[in-house]
Amino acid sequence: MRASGSDPIREAARLLAERRNAVALTGAGISVESGIPSFRGAQGMWAKYDPMEYATLHAFMQSPRKVWEMLTEMVSVCGFASPNAAHKGLAALEGMGVVRAVITQNVDGLHQAAGSRRVIEYHGSMEELICVHCWKRYLTRERWTPGAVPLCDCDEILKPNVVLFGEPIPWLAQEVAEEEARTCGVLMVIGTSAQVSPACDIPRIAKESGAAVVEINPEETSLSGNVTDIHLRGSASEVLRRILEEFSADEETPSSPSHKIK
Ligand code: OAD
């Protein structure tokens, strides 16, 4: 790898190459370039739908048809999306033995579609629907049709198997994610505003356990400047492309001193 100098991307690539046990924590920002809007900000979902009215378990139990107005948009948009260069870049880093797991707050399945193998779905997945009455589960693509509210065989309205506000994080996902955070060498925090608990605790857990925290986000977040060690400002696809370029440059210059770092 080339000398990092003052280039933060090179510095991040060097850390990733040295430590080889990175974990990524991703949020809605990584899927923006796949055409899926993020939640916060002027164009975000929560500018259109008040999350307290449309995204709580209580709201779903009280008025599932109203909540499905928002869910219909999410399911449609996720159904048409395909992974972008950032999802593919993370999958490539996993294939190279640099990244060992992805913890995602996203429910769109795009990390798996890009080829990532160890994906911890912290907020569940849109792929599945569940009946909150009889607990029967269905594949969304087999049960949902655009414009219709999906029903269980018992006639109750189905809920996507995602975490709504007021629901706990799936126990295993939370345990495994925290263990990954405690034991990784680098935590890459990509495309999240880090405003939702307990996901926003993961960077702090990693940092307190000795990991370097590399943030990829065009904007400042509550992590930048305190938990974050290196902030790479830019879109996830562009920054990951440049990180991968650093690895290729390393392969092309075998005499470079850092090439020995494994
Ligand atoms: P947010 O919408 O809160 O934040 C998205 C972040 O992505 C922002 O910090 C943007 O600056 C950044 N961003 C935008 N475009 C980007 C790009 N091309 N590359 C990199 N970063 C980019 O989304 P999350 O932090 O994921 O939970 O939101 C967390 C949780 O809040 C979601 O999982 C969802 C939501 O309410 C539940 O519904 C339980």
Side-chain angles (χ1 to χ4, degrees):
M1 195 149 296
R2 295 173 289 187
S4 54
S6 59
D7 180 346
I9 291 195
R10 219 169 267 174
E11 182 59 30
R14 174 179 284 277
L15 266 175
L16 290 166
E18 276 176 13
R19 302 198 178 178
R20 296 235 152 219
N21 59 352
V23 167
L25 169 67
T26 65
I30 197 168
S31 294
V32 162
E33 292 167 271
S34 293
I36 302 178
S38 62
F39 292 98
R40 294 167 185 83
Q43 309 300 320
M45 285 291 281
W46 297 159
K48 199 162 161 190
Y49 300 100
D50 176 351
M52 291 304 111
E53 254 183 76
Y54 286 90
T56 69
L57 182 61
H58 180 72
F60 185 86
M61 301 307 270
Q62 296 292 308
S63 357
R65 283 182 190 279
K66 176 174 175 179
V67 171
W68 264 101
E69 289 168 27
M70 181 271 296
L71 290 172
T72 296
E73 189 168 328
M74 277 180 81
V75 179
S76 320
V77 106
C78 291
F80 285 114
S82 39
N84 65 53
H87 300 104
K88 291 176 191 164
L90 272 184
L93 287 171
E94 185 181 334
M96 291 156 62
V98 175
V99 167
R100 66 170 196 223
V102 177
I103 304 164
T104 188
Q105 298 165 85
N106 300 343
V107 294
D108 53 31
L110 292 183
H111 287 298
Q112 294 91 329
S116 285
R117 295 162 71 98
R118 279 201 76 218
V119 183
I120 300 157
E121 293 182 310
Y122 202 80
H123 286 163
S125 164
M126 274 290 180
E127 280 216 330
E128 203 178 61
L129 300 168
I130 186 163
C131 177
V132 293
H133 183 69
C134 75
W135 302 104
K136 196 164 174 179
R137 291 160 187 245
Y138 304 85
L139 284 175
T140 306
R141 66 173 178 274
E142 290 175 2
R143 200 71 182 186
W144 177 81
T145 46
V149 169
L151 295 179
C152 182
D153 290 341
C154 76
D155 273 345
E156 290 291 324
I157 294 178
L158 293 164
K159 182 180 108 46
N161 206 0
V162 300
V163 174
L164 296 176
F165 288 107
E167 282 190 67
I169 304 303
W171 180 82
L172 195 58
Q174 189 167 7
E175 286 292 310
V176 175
E178 289 183 7
E179 181 62 13
E180 290 294 343
R182 275 192 292 272
T183 56
C184 66
V186 180
L187 185 77
M188 303 170 80
V189 182
I190 309 174
T192 177
S193 62
Q195 288 187 44
V196 173
S197 177
C200 63
D201 295 334
I202 292 170
R204 184 188 44 77
I205 293 170
K207 174 93 171 178
E208 285 172 3
S209 308
V213 176
V214 174
E215 185 173 18
I216 302 178
N217 196 314
E219 309 287 338
E220 294 268 317
T221 70
S222 59
L223 303 173
S224 324
N226 65 80
V227 176
T228 300
D229 293 295
I230 304 178
H231 185 180
L232 306 176
R233 287 164 206 274
S235 75
S237 64
E238 175 59 14
V239 171
L240 280 159
R241 184 187 64 73
R242 289 197 49 209
I243 288 175
L244 281 162
E245 261 175 26
E246 289 297 320
F247 277 88
S248 328
D250 191 28
E251 272 161 27
E252 283 158 19
T253 53
S255 57
S256 115
S258 60
H259 192 75
K260 297 186 193 96
I261 299 166
K262 283 283 171 277

